[in-house]
Amino acid sequence: MKELIDKIRAEGIALNEEVLKVDSFINHQVDTVLMDRIGETFAEHFKNHGITKVLTVESSGIAPAVFAAKHMGLDLVVLKKSTSKILGGEVYQSTVSSFTKGTRYELTLAKKFISPEDRVLFIDDFLANGQAAMGFVQLMEKAGAKIGGIGILIEKSFQSGRKMLDDLGLDVYSLARIRKMNEGMITFES
Ligand code: G4P
């Protein structure tokens, strides 16, 4: 998506070979005009996929997911990051370990917001090692719901997430794909 790639070129800062700072328009301050266009682009791409619900993970996925859900006329469910296993039958949970941040949490979804009839679109800001997306996939397996697609703003194609999701046969649509990075340098997939 040209607008997103242009914005990354203008304001994204490659801190090293692995981490891209985008806090002026995604992670801290949010460019709402760009997010609206992003939502519209996801809605257009996934319009014939039979999507019934949009899901994301708190916190940076929420902005693009809100706009995508709005453009699709669907509800959005925000998966929570709980630090402990919640006992009881009210929720589905899946453990996610983040390589980038060295954190671990229980991705949590209330059972009342998902059903086997659902066909879900998952939206997130980054695809790095795919751990959040894999947590989502496991939650959908537990819920018996179908996955209609995965929409990503920035994919770091040199990390393992993309291949992992491709190997599962999932439809992954990334708006900006970074082939490699280094301090001050970002190369996109053509
Ligand atoms: P993965 O889900 O693809 O495996 O990613 P990983 O665990 O490695 O990433 C953990 C967190 O770090 C995620 O945010 C992810 O969005 C973020 N992240 C990964 N690579 C980058 C990067 O190059 N730049 C930035 N800015 N963030 C990156 P999170 O912990 O869920 O945080 P948030 O959604 O609350 O912001």
Side-chain angles (χ1 to χ4, degrees), residues 1-165:
M1 180 192 177
K2 187 176 180 314
E3 295 102 308
L4 179 58
I5 292 173
D6 287 348
K7 190 78 167 176
I8 296 168
R9 286 195 205 281
E11 295 185 26
I13 300 167
L15 296 181
N16 50 45
E17 289 178 6
E18 300 221 324
V19 180
L20 176 67
K21 202 166 151 74
V22 286
D23 60 357
S24 69
F25 59 103
I26 295 177
N27 292 136
H28 196 9
Q29 176 169 260
V30 175
D31 181 337
T32 58
V33 174
L34 178 62
M35 287 300 164
D36 192 16
R37 277 286 301 134
I38 284 170
E40 195 177 18
T41 304
F42 282 138
E44 175 63 25
H45 180 83
F46 289 107
K47 69 180 177 198
N48 296 322
H49 287 56
I51 307 292
T52 61
K53 200 161 266 197
V54 179
L55 260 68
T56 190
V57 187
E58 58 180 351
S59 60
S60 298
I62 296 175
V66 164
F67 284 101
K70 172 78 166 60
H71 280 284
M72 298 173 92
L74 296 173
D75 283 335
L76 165 66
V77 178
V78 179
L79 301 173
K80 304 285 186 184
K81 292 173 180 168
S82 171
T83 49
S84 64
K85 283 250 185 229
I86 297 171
L87 299 174
E90 305 298 308
V91 298
Y92 296 113
Q93 287 191 308
S94 167
T95 307
V96 174
S97 301
S98 160
F99 295 115
T100 307
K101 295 191 173 170
T103 52
R104 191 182 158 94
Y105 56 85
E106 298 297 325
L107 204 57
T108 301
L109 167 62
K111 290 184 178 176
K112 64 184 173 188
F113 297 132
I114 194 81
S115 84
E117 283 74 50
D118 278 318
R119 192 172 173 85
V120 176
L121 171 63
F122 179 72
I123 302 279
D124 210 356
D125 56 340
F126 273 95
L127 177 58
N129 295 299
Q131 296 307 299
M134 285 306 292
F136 158 76
V137 169
Q138 283 163 14
L139 285 181
M140 293 306 96
E141 281 169 2
K142 288 180 183 181
K146 288 165 224 50
I147 299 174
I150 296 183
I152 299 291
L153 274 60
I154 303 174
E155 171 188 318
K156 292 183 289 179
S157 309
F158 53 90
Q159 292 181 303
S160 57
R162 177 66 188 220
K163 184 175 183 311
M164 205 184 295
L165 299 178

